Amino acid sequence: MDFDSILPQVGSFGPYQKFVICGVLLPAVFPCAFHAYSQLFIAARPAHWCRVPELDAWDENFTLSIRNLTVPLEMRDGAPRFSECLMFVRNYSEFAEIWDDQGANASRNVLSSEVSSCKNGWKYDTTIFRSTVVTEWDLVCEKDSYATVALVLFGVGGLIGNYVFGYLQDYWGRRPSFYAYLLLEIVAGCLSAVAWNYASWVFFRTLVGVTVPAILASPYVLAIEMVGPSKRVFCTIVANIAYSLGLVLLAGIVFVIRDWRYLTLAVSLPLFVLFGCFFILPESPRWLIATGKFSEAAKIMEKMAEINGKVLPSDFEGFLRQQAEAVAAKFTPQARSFGIMDLLITPNMRKKTLIVTFIWFANTSVYVGLSYYAPALGGNEIWNFFLAGLVELPTYIFLWPSLAFCGRRWILCLSMLVGGVACLATFLVQQRQTLMLILYCIGKMGISSAFVVLPLAASELYPTVVRGLGMSVSSVIGMIGPVVIPIINYTGSNILVLPLIIMGTLLVLGGVMSLFLPETKDQPLPQTIEDGENIPLSHPFEVFSRRIRKKKAQNSKHNY
């Protein structure tokens, strides 16, 4: 049954949908933004240096003098910096005695330059963060990869959760699946706040990772299933605005709470408020009708009609059943089911699938990567992250009319190219922090725009018979990005711009490849594989090819 043909009878975008979307579904996006990126601050790695217990008594007032005495310099990010993992081998007990007698400025003889690894743990800079999992369990030097491993496992959890959730929301429904995942996210988040060691903390954070993609997808799916086709772009834009506001709000929470255990609780416990909307948030009537639950669908749609000021037939449930039976009577069972091979078996469809999937991987990798990268820019990590979320908002306001007038392909291409070039340009200004931050923000705006346009374009490219399958395959492969991107960022620990160069290259390649996709704005959606095959790829460089061929032909004539 075509639900979109029935929806106008109850109101395709009336007060009911506006209240549910703006009052319930958009705040429900916040948990994803909170938990997807709070780990950057929970596991932040502040500046650190070797602890020398003999000199602890002077550390508060003579920090710089002690570091000059105990810690060698090394080149990092193109500048000399105090080593984080090495210390001078010296008789610090003797220094302590001299300082007791003569003060910390007493003159010293020529000192040994022999170095060793830290013997007695580390001192941490608590200017920004009072406590993180890194400082609590000393996840530095030989263990400095542990925080990255936790992010990788968090991404693996998301990959698994995205796959499982697809089945749960079709089997249980949208609403119960959302609340089941929300409960798991809150409980696992709170348990991670009381973790007793690194292993237990990683386990609970991986469970949180399982829930994040589902928490983001549920409100969005519910929103677009409750409105007419003309308002789906609106729902897409507004959902992304809510997500960006969640990032900005997270920066505010981190600014106030600098202890990792309290921060974890602060982004977990308030989410229980969303359970107060359990009896307000409806199940998707589209899903109820698709699963044959006409009575429940009729009750929800009657309530929608009442609030939207629409009048329905007295036996609306019977009307829904008749419509479904009429469609079923005309329905001819397909001779076969469709699988992944149908995306690849025909040449045109195969090229589209490969291009869309690569762009999806590039977009997911770079969006998550740039968000993870914000603390590495130097300066105040919280301020950097705040800016990274804030610059997304004007992007969505620009996209709103652009998608209606300019189409999908060129916006996708330009967004990725602008973001990619900005990331690559950081190589030229890597010693200038302000310019680095400006280019980073431009890159974030570009990828934020592309991140919105791609799912819309992909849904209009894949034929109906494999649309769900194609979107699922592309998005699942795209979810590999959050698994590998922490490793890419980790490789940039000593070369600050290396991750940005890798991400910029991905974006530029994706932007060029997007030019080969056909424009889908105002085009009928392909229904069958044959329809999709009959829509040709674009050839953006065909004009240049023609000129080259023409010139060669002219030269060959001239030679004869």
Side-chain angles (χ1 to χ4, degrees):
M1 180 172 62
D2 184 7
F3 183 80
D4 289 329
S5 65
I6 298 175
L7 189 59
Q9 297 185 41
V10 300
S12 57
F13 193 63
Y16 182 88
Q17 286 98 327
K18 293 174 184 176
F19 169 75
V20 171
I21 291 172
C22 297
V24 181
L25 294 180
L26 295 187
V29 173
F30 288 171
C32 177
F34 286 177
H35 281 288
Y37 298 107
S38 61
Q39 191 163 323
L40 297 179
F41 306 104
I42 292 169
R45 190 183 70 173
H48 52 278
W49 56 93
C50 296
R51 176 175 174 257
V52 179
E54 295 89 338
L55 303 180
D56 278 350
W58 291 273
D59 188 60
E60 185 175 347
N61 296 320
F62 299 98
T63 302
L64 184 58
S65 297
I66 291 175
R67 291 179 74 179
N68 280 319
L69 173 66
T70 61
V71 180
L73 293 174
E74 60 185 18
M75 293 299 294
R76 197 163 62 247
D77 295 332
R81 303 179 190 276
F82 284 112
S83 174
E84 296 180 329
C85 301
L86 297 175
M87 62 182 290
F88 287 119
V89 178
R90 292 169 178 170
N91 188 345
Y92 295 111
S93 297
E94 180 181 339
F95 285 112
E97 292 176 5
I98 294 173
W99 287 7
D100 274 334
D101 294 335
Q102 305 175 34
N105 294 320
S107 61
R108 298 179 291 269
N109 296 325
V110 177
L111 302 174
S112 167
S113 60
E114 182 183 352
V115 297
S116 71
S117 58
C118 298
K119 304 293 186 184
N120 300 287
W122 292 264
K123 287 279 189 177
Y124 295 94
D125 183 355
T126 57
T127 304
I128 298 180
F129 299 106
R130 188 166 68 250
S131 170
T132 72
V133 296
V134 171
T135 65
E136 182 157 335
W137 295 314
D138 287 334
L139 306 181
V140 293
C141 297
E142 294 86 356
K143 296 181 179 179
D144 71 344
S145 63
Y146 283 30
T148 299
V149 170
L151 274 179
V152 170
L153 292 176
F154 187 87
V156 171
L159 191 61
I160 297 170
N162 195 43
Y163 181 77
V164 173
F165 178 72
Y167 287 98
L168 286 183
Q169 69 169 349
D170 286 339
Y171 182 74
W172 280 355
R174 282 43 168 155
R175 186 177 70 156
S177 299
F178 170 73
Y179 279 108
Y181 266 64
L182 181 63
L183 181 62
L184 176 60
E185 182 174 75
I186 295 172
V187 171
C190 291
L191 288 175
S192 72
V194 295
W196 51 94
N197 56 26
Y198 171 77
S200 61
W201 175 75
V202 167
F203 173 75
F204 292 127
R205 286 301 301 175
T206 303
L207 284 182
V208 172
V210 168
T211 68
V212 166
I215 295 295
L216 177 62
S218 297
Y220 174 71
V221 170
L222 261 173
I224 64 172
E225 289 188 344
M226 289 177 58
V227 301
S230 64
K231 296 299 180 182
R232 287 175 191 163
V233 171
F234 165 82
C235 290
T236 301
I237 298 292
V238 173
N240 280 275
I241 290 175
Y243 187 78
S244 298
L245 289 174
L247 298 180
V248 172
L249 183 58
L250 173 61
I253 295 172
V254 176
F255 180 79
V256 175
I257 302 173
R258 309 292 183 93
D259 180 282
W260 77 269
R261 292 186 186 272
Y262 291 118
L263 174 60
T264 303
L265 292 174
V267 298
S268 299
L269 288 176
L271 303 181
F272 273 117
V273 173
L274 291 172
F275 281 92
C277 302
F278 183 81
F279 297 104
I280 301 175
L281 183 66
E283 181 55 87
S284 166
R286 191 184 299 262
W287 177 81
L288 291 170
I289 290 174
T291 54
K293 299 177 181 179
F294 297 103
S295 177
E296 296 176 50
K299 289 178 182 178
I300 293 173
M301 296 183 75
E302 286 168 356
K303 186 175 181 179
M304 291 172 64
E306 180 183 354
I307 295 176
N308 290 342
K310 300 286 185 176
V311 179
L312 295 177
S314 56
D315 184 17
F316 189 65
E317 179 185 342
F319 170 76
L320 292 178
R321 292 182 184 276
Q322 288 176 0
Q323 293 294 312
E325 290 170 0
V327 171
K330 297 177 182 178
F331 177 70
T332 303
Q334 296 173 348
R336 65 181 182 87
S337 59
F338 292 89
I340 292 177
M341 287 306 300
D342 291 289
L343 298 170
L344 303 172
I345 198 167
T346 55
N348 202 357
M349 198 69 238
R350 178 170 60 250
K351 292 172 185 175
K352 291 177 186 174
T353 300
L354 292 176
I355 291 173
V356 168
T357 301
F358 175 80
I359 296 174
W360 209 305
F361 171 78
N363 280 359
T364 307
S365 299
V366 177
Y367 183 87
V368 174
L370 287 179
S371 298
Y372 282 176
Y373 189 80
L377 285 169
N380 190 303
E381 300 177 25
I382 303 171
W383 171 249
N384 292 346
F385 188 83
F386 171 80
L387 283 180
L390 190 65
V391 296
E392 294 183 13
L393 297 175
T395 302
Y396 301 137
I397 295 172
F398 167 77
L399 271 181
W400 203 326
S402 298
L403 286 171
F405 295 104
C406 302
R408 291 30 166 163
R409 186 173 65 125
W410 277 107
I411 293 180
L412 179 61
C413 172
L414 291 175
S415 298
M416 297 186 75
L417 288 179
V418 168
V421 170
C423 289
L424 291 173
T426 57
F427 177 77
L428 303 175
V429 296
Q430 50 189 303
Q431 299 302 326
R432 305 176 68 178
Q433 186 175 324
T434 302
L435 285 178
M436 280 276 292
L437 184 58
I438 292 172
L439 288 172
Y440 167 84
C441 288
I442 294 173
K444 191 73 185 311
M445 293 176 73
I447 187 58
S448 300
S449 173
F451 205 68
V452 173
V453 179
L454 178 62
L456 179 62
S459 67
E460 296 170 340
L461 280 170
Y462 284 120
T464 299
V465 292
V466 290
R467 183 168 296 126
L469 177 64
M471 296 281 286
S472 177
V473 168
S474 295
S475 63
V476 167
I477 293 177
M479 284 298 296
I480 297 174
V483 176
V484 301
I485 205 66
I487 301 172
I488 293 175
N489 280 349
Y490 181 70
T491 63
S493 299
N494 296 319
I495 307 175
L496 183 64
V497 297
L498 180 59
L500 292 176
I501 292 172
I502 295 173
M503 289 187 277
T505 302
L506 278 175
L507 280 184
V508 170
L509 287 175
V512 172
M513 291 179 70
S514 68
L515 288 175
F516 291 91
L517 296 174
E519 177 55 66
T520 58
K521 177 181 174 290
D522 297 330
Q523 299 298 314
L525 294 179
Q527 301 298 317
T528 64
I529 296 291
E530 291 73 20
D531 290 341
E533 194 66 17
N534 290 332
I535 301 175
L537 292 171
S538 297
H539 297 283
F541 308 114
E542 187 174 6
V543 175
F544 301 105
S545 299
R546 273 194 226 143
R547 287 181 181 176
I548 292 172
R549 287 196 299 268
K550 186 177 179 181
K551 191 171 183 180
K552 285 183 178 179
Q554 289 174 347
N555 289 339
S556 57
K557 285 181 182 179
H558 180 71
N559 292 335
Y560 284 111

